[in-house]
């Protein structure tokens, strides 16, 4: 009789243990706080820790996660590889680069005009400082804007870039001295350009992986179109309405384009809240990365010297 009772008690203990295990909050994706209240740990918190919730079977979203394998969080990120929202981001990036890179591809026209008008009393090398500082800031500020984009997203960066670029161009229309142009075109324009095109490129990577090159290349053609349209527009407007109103009209076009960029450039992946917003130069310890960066550096160095002075050279040589 005692043996039967002992058997029943053992059976009850095993049942209670099993029930407690089944009801363990961890197995249901919840956690207990110090007050013994159960708080759900949802997908949002998991994302902000760099984790992705499991995908549903049959989902059209492309994923880099190997099935059945435990991988690091970066390998579990999924990409739509298209869709209405993704292509709207490409349209917004195209519009942003049309304004920002379009201005960058127009610096030769500004160089040629300023050396024969407002800054005719300055040497060409002195005038060249305006555009050298502009290009330096347009690319150099990306060193800091990139980590901020990873941590905070694109919205405030693009908005700040819009203000800098439009206000800078309005300031250019009123400028008459070398230092005026450095403040307006070089500093405001350069920082504004960087604030716009860095998120414009980075946001595309949130929606495309396999087709990222094609999507980024499509958006980057905006700068090519700008490099054709804006110099021709200035060439037509300058004799008719003068420098001030020509640049103001250019600023108005930039404002319209950048409103589109502000509406459509969006991020999708959760912010990397564990990352520092300051640049980490330890990445250059990776030799392939360091060599690639050096190669791009020298490509840009060789590209923007003729881009800045080709118009002045052509005018000087008939």
């Amino acid at each position: 009789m005692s043996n039967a009772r002992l058997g029943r008690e053992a059976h009850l203990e095993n049942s209670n243990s099993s029930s407690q295990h089944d009801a363990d909050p961890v197995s249901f994706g919840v956690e207990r706080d110090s007050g013994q209240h159960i708080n759900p740990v949802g997908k949002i918190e998991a994302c902000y820790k760099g984790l992705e919730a499991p995908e549903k079977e049959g989902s059209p979203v492309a994923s880099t996660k190997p099935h059945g394998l435990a991988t690091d969080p970066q390998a579990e990120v999924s990409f739509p590889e298209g869709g209405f929202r993704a292509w709207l981001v490409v349209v917004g990036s195209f519009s942003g680069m049309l304004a920002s890179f379009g201005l960058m591809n127009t610096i030769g026209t500004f160089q040629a005009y300023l050396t024969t008008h407002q800054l005719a009393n300055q040497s060409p090398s002195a005038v060249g400082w305006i555009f050298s500082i502009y290009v330096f800031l347009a690319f150099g500020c990306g060193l800091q804007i990139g980590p901020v984009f990873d941590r905070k997203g694109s919205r405030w960066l693009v908005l700040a870039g819009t203000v800098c670029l439009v206000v800078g161009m309005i300031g250019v229309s009123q400028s008459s001295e070398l230092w005026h142009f450095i403040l307006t075109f070089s500093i405001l324009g350069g920082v504004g350009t960087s604030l716009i095109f860095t998120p414009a490129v980075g946001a595309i990577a949130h929606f495309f992986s396999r087709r990222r090159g094609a999507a980024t290349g499509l958006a980057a053609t905006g700068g090519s179109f700008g490099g054709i349209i804006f110099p021709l527009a200035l060439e037509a407007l300058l004799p008719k309405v003068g420098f001030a109103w020509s640049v103001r009209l250019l600023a108005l076009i930039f404002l319209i384009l950048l409103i589109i960029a502000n509406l459509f450039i969006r991020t999708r992946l959760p912010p990397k809240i564990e990352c520092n917003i300051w640049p980490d130069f330890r990445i250059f310890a990776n030799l392939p990365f360091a060599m690639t960066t050096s190669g791009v550096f020298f490509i840009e160095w060789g590209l923007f010297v003729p881009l800045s002075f080709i118009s002045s050279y052509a005018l000087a040589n008939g």
Side-chain angles (χ1 to χ4, degrees):
M1 185 71 179
S2 61
N3 289 338
R5 186 175 64 184
L6 290 175
R8 284 195 301 271
E9 289 176 354
H11 176 71
L12 289 173
E13 288 177 359
N14 290 334
S15 299
N16 291 336
S17 175
S18 176
S19 299
Q20 290 174 359
H21 175 74
D22 292 341
D24 187 356
V26 174
S27 63
F28 284 95
V30 298
E31 61 183 8
R32 292 184 183 274
D33 58 17
S34 59
Q36 296 301 313
H37 296 291
I38 297 176
N39 299 322
V41 180
K43 181 180 178 181
I44 295 178
E45 289 187 20
C47 287
Y48 274 77
K49 294 177 182 177
L51 302 176
E52 286 288 324
E55 299 174 14
K56 295 181 180 179
E57 294 184 2
S59 171
V61 178
S63 175
T64 59
K65 177 176 62 178
H67 294 288
L69 294 177
T71 59
D72 67 271
Q74 294 300 322
E76 298 180 4
V77 176
S78 58
F79 299 89
E81 300 293 350
F84 183 70
R85 184 184 173 198
W87 290 113
L88 277 183
V89 172
V90 175
V91 170
S93 298
F94 175 90
S95 183
M97 290 196 220
L98 181 57
S100 58
F101 274 164
L103 176 62
M104 185 176 292
N105 291 332
T106 312
I107 58 179
T109 303
F110 280 100
Q111 166 85 15
Y113 187 87
L114 293 179
T115 52
T116 56
H117 291 80
Q118 288 96 325
L119 302 179
N121 60 331
Q122 302 284 344
S123 66
S125 61
V127 177
W129 275 104
I130 299 171
F131 309 103
S132 298
I133 296 172
Y134 166 80
V135 173
F136 172 78
L137 291 176
F139 288 103
C141 289
L143 189 67
Q144 179 61 66
I145 293 172
V148 174
F149 168 78
D150 290 337
R151 182 75 178 268
K152 301 294 185 180
S154 63
R155 177 172 300 179
W156 294 109
L157 294 175
V158 178
L159 180 60
T162 300
V163 173
C164 287
L165 195 60
V166 174
V167 172
M169 294 308 297
I170 293 174
V172 168
S173 70
Q174 303 289 346
S175 299
S176 58
E177 300 292 337
L178 179 63
W179 67 272
H180 296 168
F181 288 101
I182 290 176
L183 286 177
T184 56
F185 195 103
S186 304
I187 297 177
L188 280 176
V191 173
T193 296
S194 190
L195 284 166
I196 292 164
F197 94 81
T198 304
V201 174
I204 293 175
H206 282 227
F207 292 85
F208 296 90
S209 177
R210 181 173 49 85
R211 304 170 69 182
R212 184 176 300 169
T216 304
L218 182 61
T221 58
S224 302
F225 281 109
I228 297 172
I229 296 170
F230 297 144
L232 293 176
L234 287 175
E235 184 179 351
L237 289 171
L238 286 170
K240 297 178 181 179
V241 298
F243 180 82
W245 276 106
S246 297
V247 177
R248 287 173 193 149
L249 289 173
L250 203 63
L252 178 61
I253 295 172
F254 288 170
L255 178 61
I256 295 171
L257 292 171
L258 294 175
I259 288 174
I260 298 173
N262 277 272
L263 291 175
F264 292 156
I265 294 178
R266 289 289 182 268
T267 55
R268 183 186 66 89
L269 301 176
K272 300 176 182 178
I273 60 174
E274 76 283 358
C275 296
N276 196 321
I277 63 171
W278 302 108
D280 186 358
F281 293 99
R282 291 176 297 177
I283 58 176
F284 290 105
N286 185 315
L287 184 60
F289 177 83
M291 295 297 292
T292 302
T293 304
S294 300
V296 174
F297 173 84
F298 287 109
I299 288 173
E300 302 289 355
W301 196 359
L303 172 65
F304 284 100
V305 171
L307 190 64
S308 300
F309 293 100
I310 188 67
S311 298
S312 299
Y313 178 82
L315 290 173
N317 290 273

